[in-house]
Amino acid sequence: MNDQIVPVITIDGPSGAGKGTIAQMLALDLKWNILDSGALYRTLAYFMSKNHIALRDFEKKLEFIKENFIVKFDPGVADEPVKVIFHDQDITNKVRNEEIAKKTSFLASDPLIRTFIKPCQREFKELPGLIADGRDMGTVIFTDAQLKVFLTASLEERAKRRQTQLKRQGSEVNMRLLLQELEERDKKDTEREHSPLRPADDSVIIDTSNLNPKEVLKEIKKYIQI
Ligand code: C5P
C-alpha cells in the first residue's frame, strides 16, 4: 500500500487577489499538480447550463452528472490562465467569463453543490504534491495542508487586475460594473452559510495590493519547508 504523504499548499482569497497567478507559478516551480477549485465550480455551472439541468433537478440527475463531470487542469505556461480541460477539450475561455462567474457564485452557495464538489476536489491530491486554489481550500477541503496561504488586495486593485485579465481574453468590461460585480460576489462568498470565504486560523495572510507576483512568490517560499 502506498501511504506516502501527499503535500498540499492551499491558496485562498477573494477574486482578483492573485490566487490564480500565484498557484500557477508555484505549480510550475515545484512541478506539482494544480486544482483551480473556482474553475471546477465554473465548469459545473457550464455543464449544468449546457445540459439544461436546473439546481432543483440536481439530485434527480446526480448519476448522469457524476458519470459525465470529468475535469482536469493543466498549469499551462506563465502569463496564460491555467487550462481547464473537460472531456479532453480545452474549455478555458468558455468558463472564464463574468457571465459564468455570476452563475457559479449562485450555485456555489448551495450545500448540495458543495457536497458534490468536495470529493471531486480531494481527488486532485496526488503525488508529488498539490497546489489548491480557492475560497475554502484551507478551511474545509484540505484542513491538514502543509501550508495555508490567504491572499488579499484592495477592491480597486482586484478590479483592475480582473479587467486586465478579461481584456487579454478579448472581453471589454466597464470598470464601474466590474467593481460592483466583484463587491457583490465578495459579499455573497463571505456571508454565505456554507464554507464562507475566510482565512484559516493557521494561514499566512499576505496583502498583495502593492506586490508584484514575483514578490508574493518570494514571500510564500519563506514558509515552504517541504
Ligand atoms: O475563483 P473564481 O472566480 O474562478 O471562482 C468563481 C466562484 O466560485 C466564486 O465567486 C465562488 O462563489 C465560487 N467558489 C467557491 N469555493 C471555491 C472556489 C470558488 O465557492 N473553493
Side-chain angles (χ1 to χ4, degrees):
M1 200 168 76
N2 186 353
D3 53 5
Q4 226 179 318
I5 288 178
V6 180
V8 177
I9 298 177
T10 59
I11 316 274
D12 286 310
S15 307
K19 300 183 306 288
T21 307
I22 298 303
Q24 182 189 43
M25 284 169 104
L26 273 172
L28 291 171
D29 198 66
L30 298 168
K31 298 190 173 57
W32 283 11
N33 301 297
I34 192 162
L35 160 64
D36 180 339
S37 62
L40 198 63
Y41 279 101
R42 284 170 185 260
T43 304
L44 185 60
Y46 165 81
F47 172 76
M48 285 172 67
S49 142
K50 234 182 149 219
N51 288 283
H52 310 287
I53 301 172
L55 186 53
R56 62 176 179 280
D57 296 328
F58 194 81
E59 275 185 303
K60 218 164 59 194
K61 303 266 181 177
L62 196 57
E63 277 317 302
F64 170 78
I65 299 170
K66 270 188 186 161
E67 259 169 46
N68 291 285
F69 188 63
I70 300 164
V71 187
K72 281 184 270 175
F73 295 105
D74 175 347
V77 292
D79 292 329
E80 277 179 29
V82 166
K83 287 187 186 149
V84 187
I85 314 291
F86 185 66
H87 285 261
D88 295 328
Q89 203 195 338
D90 186 344
I91 57 155
T92 312
N93 289 339
K94 292 194 171 115
V95 296
R96 296 201 191 279
N97 58 61
E98 289 307 292
E99 195 196 325
I100 287 280
K102 238 196 231 165
K103 281 188 190 162
T104 307
S105 196
F106 166 74
L107 273 185
S109 61
D110 191 279
L112 258 183
I113 299 288
R114 301 204 80 84
T115 306
F116 169 74
I117 287 268
K118 205 185 250 188
C120 302
Q121 296 178 123
R122 291 189 174 140
E123 274 175 22
F124 286 87
K125 185 174 165 182
E126 282 189 337
L127 286 169
L130 177 69
I131 308 294
D133 151 358
R135 305 289 190 292
D136 59 347
M137 297 296 100
T139 49
V140 178
I141 307 298
F142 301 109
T143 48
D144 56 352
Q146 277 66 18
L147 175 63
K148 298 178 185 177
V149 178
F150 191 88
L151 300 180
T152 62
S154 69
L155 180 67
E156 290 70 25
E157 180 58 31
R158 292 190 287 120
K160 246 195 273 169
R161 289 178 190 169
R162 200 57 151 193
Q163 191 183 37
T164 311
Q165 198 179 37
L166 290 168
K167 257 190 192 161
R168 220 183 284 154
Q169 288 167 220
S171 328
E172 274 304 323
V173 275
N174 174 299
M175 191 58 175
R176 228 183 42 206
L177 201 67
L178 199 55
L179 272 168
Q180 197 187 327
E181 281 179 355
L182 265 187
E183 214 169 9
E184 275 170 22
R185 197 130 54 93
D186 282 357
K187 193 167 150 52
K188 212 171 169 51
D189 290 346
T190 47
E191 290 179 0
R192 71 180 172 216
E193 190 188 341
H194 303 278
S195 304
L197 170 67
R198 64 166 182 84
D201 293 338
D202 50 351
S203 63
V204 174
I205 301 178
I206 303 173
D207 185 333
T208 70
S209 305
N210 299 307
L211 298 176
N212 66 39
K214 272 194 184 151
E215 289 169 325
V216 179
L217 191 69
K218 197 169 158 203
E219 189 59 28
I220 293 176
K221 280 188 150 182
K222 287 184 196 162
Y223 298 93
I224 300 183
Q225 297 156 343
I226 296 155

